[in-house]
Amino acid sequence: MNPPAVTHPNTSTDTDASARQEQTKSANAGDLSASSLTGSSEVRLSRSRQTWTGAGSAAGFVLRYLPPMRRLLTDVLGSESDADRALAILISHLVKAGYSGHAKGRLRDFLILGLRSAAKARVTEIESKAKKAGESFRPRDLDLDSAKTESRRWLSYWREGLLQRTWRALEREQHRERTRSHQIESGEVDAGDADADVVADEPINDLVHDVMRMVADHSGESSEVIAGRVAELAERSVSAAEVKRQLPIARSLFAQLLADEISLTLENADAKAIQAEISKLGLQKAFSGLQVKA
């Protein structure tokens, strides 16, 4: 069985409730409804016109990308605690001043400038506190080379951050399908609804995340073995045929969700710009074998 051509980075939970709130406001347009989980292999790049520049809350939106930001600041400052303080400084600034007229271009470029400023502000803060306390202070050497717009390290962290968000979005889609399955099984679908029979007859794609994850983590294993692994996660019997049916659905859904996530980070999210970002971040394999359209 051919594995999906995507990586599966370690997942991390959102660390702030406002991040989830902003996600609900800004990303819902990028999510596919459960009823749209079909076998289509088509991916629409510029499906949504929502971008980071139009976010109602700059701080709330930026909180979506805390993991790559924290990783980079840890490298720059050499300390996780200092990285967390620098992040607090940056978020506090965004709460007060928003994007301050700099909401242009790519979000990752805007953020790298903010991260550099926050790192310097943290060092100044440490120095000021040391002087007030009469303590000696040794100037901190900042690794600002890694905090540049085209830094390989930053691009790598950003890429993994996007993939993490896409995996979580795929997991949410799976949850929606399982909810739909439960509603059908429990008879909660309104029999008087004209679409009820159609909904009940649609195949349940409640394994899209688990199938994708198992194939990504255990590349080269047979469908039967993958089915066994997925069954343990789903806590129900899963056949090899079911794995084969849901895998292409999962791949195309993952690619669509990834394209949607990337589009949110661009000021002008047309198909050309999204394709350029996909190429820059080395994410082309996620779209391999799919019909990618504007």
Side-chain angles (χ1 to χ4, degrees):
M1 175 170 56
N2 294 326
V6 293
T7 56
H8 178 227
N10 292 330
T11 57
S12 60
T13 57
D14 292 332
T15 56
D16 194 284
S18 61
R20 296 189 184 91
Q21 292 170 355
E22 190 64 26
Q23 171 185 317
T24 300
K25 295 176 184 177
S26 303
N28 280 348
D31 289 343
L32 295 176
S33 64
S35 61
S36 66
L37 290 180
T38 68
S40 172
S41 60
E42 181 179 292
V43 176
R44 291 281 182 180
L45 292 181
S46 52
R47 192 173 65 157
S48 172
R49 293 188 178 277
Q50 280 192 301
T51 68
W52 70 280
T53 58
S57 167
F61 190 88
V62 167
L63 282 171
R64 295 157 57 96
Y65 302 98
L66 276 184
M69 294 164 63
R70 187 175 188 271
R71 291 179 69 183
L72 188 78
L73 279 175
T74 300
D75 290 344
V76 171
L77 291 163
S79 162
E80 290 186 353
S81 60
D82 285 335
D84 289 339
R85 175 55 191 156
L87 276 175
I89 292 172
L90 175 57
I91 298 302
S92 177
H93 170 76
L94 289 172
V95 168
K96 295 176 182 177
Y99 294 127
S100 303
H102 299 293
K104 297 180 179 180
R106 296 176 300 212
L107 175 61
R108 60 179 171 85
D109 293 343
F110 168 83
L111 289 179
I112 203 66
L113 296 177
L115 293 173
R116 288 172 66 92
S117 296
K120 293 175 182 178
R122 174 53 181 161
V123 170
T124 299
E125 185 178 72
I126 294 173
E127 182 177 12
S128 177
K129 288 183 178 180
K131 287 181 178 179
K132 286 183 179 180
E135 301 172 351
S136 60
F137 174 80
R138 186 176 67 181
R140 182 79 63 90
D141 292 328
L142 299 180
D143 179 16
L144 292 177
D145 285 339
S146 62
K148 295 180 179 178
T149 55
E150 300 302 313
S151 159
R152 285 189 177 183
R153 191 177 302 178
W154 173 234
L155 291 178
S156 174
Y157 291 166
W158 187 251
R159 175 182 185 275
E160 291 180 20
L162 291 174
L163 287 171
Q164 286 176 353
R165 289 195 57 80
T166 304
W167 278 108
R168 290 200 293 273
L170 186 64
E171 190 170 24
R172 288 195 296 272
E173 295 300 337
Q174 176 175 277
H175 176 71
R176 287 193 184 108
E177 278 290 276
R178 288 187 177 173
T179 299
R180 184 168 77 95
S181 174
H182 174 74
Q183 290 173 339
I184 292 173
E185 291 177 357
S186 62
E188 293 179 26
V189 176
D190 188 357
D193 190 332
D195 296 326
D197 290 339
V198 175
V199 171
D201 288 341
E202 288 178 351
I204 300 297
N205 300 307
D206 65 333
L207 302 173
V208 286
H209 173 272
D210 292 350
V211 166
M212 189 83 164
R213 190 179 77 180
M214 289 299 99
V215 174
D217 288 351
H218 304 281
S219 176
E221 290 188 345
S222 69
S223 300
E224 289 74 14
V225 174
I226 293 295
R229 294 184 182 279
V230 172
E232 291 182 9
L233 294 175
E235 297 183 339
R236 70 168 176 80
S237 62
V238 177
S239 68
E242 197 168 8
V243 167
K244 290 179 179 179
R245 183 183 68 79
Q246 293 200 40
L247 179 57
I249 296 170
R251 288 196 67 241
S252 100
L253 179 56
F254 185 95
Q256 183 66 71
L257 292 169
L258 179 57
D260 292 342
E261 188 67 37
I262 290 173
S263 72
L264 288 172
T265 69
L266 305 175
E267 179 188 11
N268 298 312
D270 57 24
K272 185 177 180 180
I274 296 171
Q275 286 179 324
E277 189 72 350
I278 288 171
S279 178
K280 183 66 178 181
L281 297 174
L283 292 167
Q284 301 97 318
K285 288 185 178 180
F287 301 85
S288 177
L290 300 172
Q291 301 175 44
V292 180
K293 298 185 178 182

